[in-house]
Amino acid sequence: MTAATHSPLFPQVPDSADAVLAGLDPEQREVATALHGPVCVLAGAGTGKTRAITHRIAYGVRAGILQPSSVLAVTFTNRAAGEMRGRLRQLGAQGVQARTFHSAALRQLQYFWPKAIGGSMPRLVDRKIQLVADAAAALGTRLDRNELRDVTAEIEWSKVTQTVPADYAYAAAKAGREVPRDPAEIAHLYAAYEDLKRDRAVIDFEDVLLLTVAVLQDRHDIADQVRGQYQHFVVDEYQDVSPLQQRLLDLWLGDRDNLCVVGDASQTIYSFTGATPDHLLDFRARHPGATVVKLVRDYRSTPQVVRLANGLLAQARGRAADHRLELVSQRSPGPEPVYTEYTDEPAEAEGAARRIRELIDAGVPAAEIAVLFRTNSQSETYEQALADAGVPYQLRGAERFFDRPEIRKAGIALRGAARFGGNDSLLDDVVDLPSQVRAVLSGEGWTREPPAGSGAVRERWESLAALVNLAHDLAAATPGATLADFVAELDERANAQHAPTVQGVTLASLHAAKGLEWDVVFLVGVAEGMLPITYARTDEQIEEERRLLYVGVTRARERLHVSWALSRSPGGRPGRRPSRFLDGLRPGTTATAGRTGTGAGGGVERGTAGSAAAAPRRIQRTPARCRVCGRTLTDAGEMKLMRCEDCPSDMDEGLYERLREWRAVQAGRSGQPDFCVFTDRTLMAIAEARPEDSAELSRIPGVLSRKLRSYGADVLAICAGQEGVADDVGD
């Protein structure tokens, strides 16, 4: 299991800046040498995007164009950030900060908290689910385990989309979210959760971003200090940026444009968390002078796998589909994808396990095989089937490698041997690094032959065996490596969460598999109701399910097995059918109505800086400030009022009540909740502003163009003191 591309584990550091560019294809080289101004890299699956951007940073550093400490590279997972740091280290570009958004924000918040706020920073809670449970209990609301998880997800979505509790119900309805409880009830739970955090003086991960945004907006001296530190920004997986993360990125940048973003709209699969590809798709509009490089040369997958991937997107609809990339495989031909139908899910799992056993017996490493499914609940059936077939496996998304008890104990033992090895009888007769590591780990449960069967004993052995294999790799790359060097390598990997390969078949959800690849992939459960999932109803939700399958297909390098079951359990009614996404792609089927034409090819589009007609100007957003005291506003509710909650209000109470009465009539006639007409905050803002015409009314936050058309005349009439408007509307 590796990410992005094959490469030696410990490659030689390039001896010059030009050597960093060796081996890059023309488009990757364009990325690596475009070091100034805004750059947008549209990178298809398997096209080497991580290679391109790490070589870009390394080339800039090695050529003396970029100072390592002035570069901030951000991505979305600790694993991806760790991999990026590892690659930069191998390219001779130490000192570059590669972090997740949350890690970078937390580092800044901790540093500036005493100066910006004073006192000790609140404790950061790792998991908010217990706080949500306590908030529900305080309200007398009973939530089962699934509801608790779903409500927590709604709170997280609200915060990254900058939605306050009062606006949750409207925002959720507008976004078409499937809510686990009544929206008003979730809004109360959200508000209670926020109150509980304040009472306990704790913050959550979303607060880290929100508070950093607030500090940078309020304290221009601190913002200037951060911008003085970081001059150059690189954002990976840009299609997954949330509105809150984009807001933070804008504050980091200020009025500069030394920004490189990398993404693929066709791999947007996290919209349920607030991620949106709009920032990627609108990049040229925001940055007219941007250079756009399209990477379409697929080095990962065979032409047969790539043909299926392209076929999936050829039938897609929507804005992301309009910007799809047509991949071109750079590999030799391989076998066609295999499609298999089973009578029930246990038979499907047994069939996959049987084929995997045959592949392993034929010499395919277990670590180069994956079973991918739509939901985590499907895992158990495949765990049992693989155990019955005597196939070792590992669960992706389970306990992190360096957090496993056996790895912690092994690390202590190896560290002790490195420090006091001269007095350890285990090391008396061994001299080379692999032998030393094997000798130390033999005392922790490692044996030359693996234990029989699977289960916990086998999993512990596999973990220790991964350390033994890593020692062999280090010794081959650095013949003089010592046990102390090996311990230092482990420490570096632990900090980066860059785990060595564990020899076992990977079981993972499609979401957890993103960014990874294997020689052989089994895509299971590809049936209607599972892909697309039952609760995907809107066009946008269906298209995200298609992209999820696309991500699964593009994880395979050489062999791809696609399967589905006609019923859930043996003897069940065979009422299921293969996923609609396979229509026209698997043998004997015809395509459903979809798109025509081909996607975009690779190449470079130069920016048009200086040409006002070439593209819309980038919108420079100024901070919202309180119209009473002038303080920068960060709370969405305060931004609607254009004043601090505590500042004196000049609201016309009578006008506010007339607006509320009118709203109640409108909501009753349309069968909608009151907030779907206007929220209380918007009505308060109207009653304070007392607009006299449409232009003034449209400037009030919350009065969108659609609502201006529907309700503008009525609201202006009420503000002008006309009576009876609420009764006459719609008659």
Side-chain angles (χ1 to χ4, degrees):
M1 179 178 60
T2 61
T5 55
H6 281 299
S7 63
L9 190 58
F10 299 97
Q12 185 176 358
V13 175
D15 58 9
S16 67
D18 288 341
V20 171
L21 302 178
L24 299 181
D25 68 30
E27 291 79 27
Q28 290 172 344
R29 183 178 284 257
E30 287 283 353
V31 174
T33 55
L35 295 173
H36 299 289
V39 178
C40 178
V41 184
L42 302 177
T47 57
K49 67 177 179 65
T50 306
R51 177 180 174 83
I53 59 174
T54 52
H55 281 67
R56 178 182 190 269
I57 296 170
Y59 175 71
V61 169
R62 298 290 298 275
I65 300 170
L66 303 178
Q67 292 299 315
S69 60
S70 72
V71 180
L72 178 59
V74 288
T75 186
F76 284 81
T77 66
N78 288 321
R79 182 194 61 79
E83 180 191 346
M84 192 178 291
R85 287 194 295 271
R87 291 197 185 200
L88 290 169
R89 180 163 56 103
Q90 292 165 359
L91 292 169
Q94 293 91 341
V96 173
Q97 292 290 316
R99 298 182 173 276
T100 63
F101 269 100
H102 285 87
S103 172
L106 180 60
R107 186 181 176 94
Q108 293 174 16
L109 192 62
Q110 289 171 330
Y111 183 81
F112 289 112
W113 187 276
K115 179 178 180 180
I117 297 160
S120 300
M121 192 176 121
R123 180 174 62 87
L124 176 63
V125 292
D126 291 334
R127 298 176 71 247
K128 60 173 65 67
I129 199 163
Q130 184 57 54
L131 276 174
V132 176
D134 292 347
L139 293 176
T141 302
R142 295 179 61 86
L143 298 175
D144 62 31
R145 187 172 62 178
N146 290 333
E147 287 177 319
L148 190 58
R149 182 195 64 218
D150 292 343
V151 168
T152 301
E154 289 304 295
I155 291 174
E156 291 176 347
W157 172 83
S158 299
K159 299 186 78 166
V160 300
T161 56
Q162 302 167 86
T163 301
V164 296
D167 294 339
Y168 166 78
Y170 171 73
K174 183 180 179 182
R177 293 185 70 79
E178 289 282 339
V179 296
R181 308 273 290 207
D182 178 81
E185 190 174 15
I186 294 177
H188 285 305
L189 283 167
Y190 178 13
Y193 167 79
E194 292 296 313
D195 291 340
L196 190 60
K197 281 199 293 101
R198 280 191 289 271
D199 292 343
R200 296 183 181 180
V202 297
I203 59 175
D204 60 28
F205 276 104
E206 290 72 37
D207 290 330
V208 170
L209 299 184
L210 286 163
L211 288 167
T212 306
V213 164
V215 167
L216 294 178
Q217 283 190 164
D218 256 358
R219 294 291 300 268
H220 298 293
D221 56 331
I222 292 176
D224 289 342
Q225 190 173 341
V226 171
R227 292 166 191 159
Q229 167 74 47
Y230 296 114
Q231 307 290 324
H232 197 97
F233 296 86
V234 178
V235 185
D236 195 11
E237 304 288 1
Y238 193 56
Q239 77 280 350
D240 291 332
V241 166
S242 71
L244 179 56
Q245 289 164 334
Q246 180 63 49
R247 192 172 174 190
L248 177 59
L249 180 61
D250 287 340
L251 287 166
W252 281 339
L253 276 168
D255 58 0
R256 301 166 301 170
D257 60 4
N258 274 333
L259 171 66
C260 174
V261 301
V262 190
D264 178 12
S266 296
Q267 295 188 68
T268 305
I269 58 173
Y270 296 110
S271 66
F272 61 91
T273 68
T276 170
D278 289 346
H279 305 298
L280 175 67
L281 299 178
D282 293 339
F283 193 81
R284 283 291 292 272
R286 289 168 56 86
H287 301 273
T291 296
V292 178
V293 185
K294 297 177 182 178
L295 305 182
V296 298
R297 302 176 199 247
D298 188 327
Y299 297 96
R300 176 188 299 161
S301 304
T302 63
Q304 287 76 12
V305 173
V306 167
R307 187 181 308 121
L308 175 57
N310 286 336
L312 281 170
L313 295 186
Q315 300 179 25
R317 299 178 176 86
R319 193 177 181 211
D322 291 337
H323 294 79
R324 69 188 179 90
L325 299 168
E326 186 87 6
L327 299 177
V328 182
S329 175
Q330 306 298 298
R331 297 195 56 179
S332 300
E336 290 290 339
V338 176
Y339 301 90
T340 309
E341 183 173 277
Y342 293 93
T343 55
D344 52 65
E345 288 183 5
E348 185 180 9
E350 291 167 8
R354 185 169 55 252
R355 292 193 179 196
I356 290 170
R357 179 76 267 173
E358 293 169 354
L359 288 166
I360 293 173
D361 291 343
V364 178
E368 292 297 349
I369 304 173
V371 179
L372 307 182
F373 33 74
R374 175 61 179 84
T375 66
N376 288 319
S377 62
Q378 294 168 269
S379 172
E380 185 177 355
T381 304
Y382 288 89
E383 291 178 55
Q384 185 62 55
L386 290 173
D388 291 345
V391 174
Y393 64 86
Q394 59 172 329
L395 286 172
R396 182 74 192 172
E399 188 176 33
R400 295 194 297 188
F401 181 84
F402 289 103
D403 291 339
R404 297 175 186 176
E406 65 270 20
I407 296 301
R408 288 181 177 275
K409 287 182 62 181
I412 294 171
L414 288 165
R415 198 167 284 108
R419 195 173 302 165
F420 308 111
N423 300 320
D424 193 335
S425 59
L426 281 173
L427 304 180
D428 285 348
D429 301 321
V430 294
V431 291
D432 64 303
L433 177 61
S435 298
Q436 290 175 326
V437 171
R438 288 196 299 268
V440 174
L441 296 185
S442 64
E444 302 301 322
W446 179 83
T447 57
R448 289 189 176 274
E449 295 298 324
S454 53
V457 174
R458 178 61 181 255
E459 288 182 16
R460 285 195 293 271
W461 184 90
E462 294 286 358
S463 296
L464 297 176
L467 297 182
V468 173
N469 293 334
L470 184 64
H472 280 278
D473 291 331
L474 179 58
T478 311
T482 65
L483 200 54
D485 294 330
F486 182 70
V487 169
E489 177 66 25
L490 287 181
D491 289 342
E492 184 75 32
R493 284 170 169 265
N495 290 334
Q497 285 301 324
H498 183 194
T501 300
V502 176
Q503 290 300 320
V505 172
T506 300
L507 295 176
S509 70
L510 289 166
H511 285 101
K514 189 169 182 297
L516 303 172
E517 61 187 63
W518 298 266
D519 285 345
V520 186
V521 168
F522 286 77
L523 287 175
V524 300
V526 188
E528 286 292 305
M530 195 59 74
L531 260 173
I533 199 77
T534 305
Y535 52 75
R537 298 189 179 93
T538 67
D539 290 343
E540 292 82 3
Q541 291 167 339
I542 294 294
E543 288 306 316
E544 181 145 339
E545 294 289 302
R546 186 193 304 276
R547 294 193 295 271
L548 195 55
L549 181 57
Y550 171 80
V551 166
V553 167
T554 54
R555 300 309 95 193
R557 297 193 196 106
E558 298 171 4
R559 297 172 183 266
L560 181 63
H561 295 258
V562 183
S563 63
W564 58 91
L566 297 177
S567 67
R568 180 176 182 180
S569 55
R573 186 174 66 86
R576 293 179 175 175
R577 62 175 294 267
S579 170
R580 72 190 76 173
F581 300 144
L582 300 178
D583 291 348
L585 301 175
R586 62 187 179 92
T589 61
T590 57
T592 53
R595 304 181 60 79
T596 58
T598 59
V604 183
E605 297 175 13
R606 301 296 177 189
T608 52
S611 173
R617 290 185 61 191
R618 181 184 178 190
I619 299 171
Q620 297 289 339
R621 290 184 172 85
T622 56
R625 298 189 181 279
C626 174
R627 53 189 167 81
V628 179
C629 71
R631 184 181 71 85
T632 299
L633 303 177
T634 58
D635 178 81
E638 292 181 343
M639 291 169 72
K640 279 190 175 182
L641 295 175
M642 292 305 293
R643 65 170 174 81
C644 303
E645 190 79 48
D646 299 332
C647 282
S649 168
D650 54 356
M651 182 178 72
D652 183 327
E653 296 286 352
L655 174 57
Y656 177 63
E657 288 305 318
R658 292 196 298 275
L659 288 169
R660 283 173 57 86
E661 292 171 5
W662 165 82
R663 181 183 65 176
V665 173
Q666 290 296 315
R669 288 174 174 169
S670 63
Q672 295 178 310
D674 287 358
F675 64 81
C676 288
V677 180
F678 284 120
T679 65
D680 286 346
R681 291 290 181 91
T682 300
L683 292 186
M684 290 173 66
I686 294 171
E688 290 184 355
R690 295 184 287 278
E692 297 181 355
D693 54 37
S694 295
E696 291 182 6
L697 180 59
S698 67
R699 285 195 287 270
I700 296 175
V703 183
L704 306 177
S705 57
R706 176 178 59 81
K707 294 194 175 186
L708 187 64
R709 290 193 301 271
S710 300
Y711 306 126
D714 296 344
V715 170
L716 290 172
I718 295 171
C719 291
Q722 297 180 19
E723 300 294 333
V725 174
D727 297 329
D728 297 339
V729 172
D731 292 343

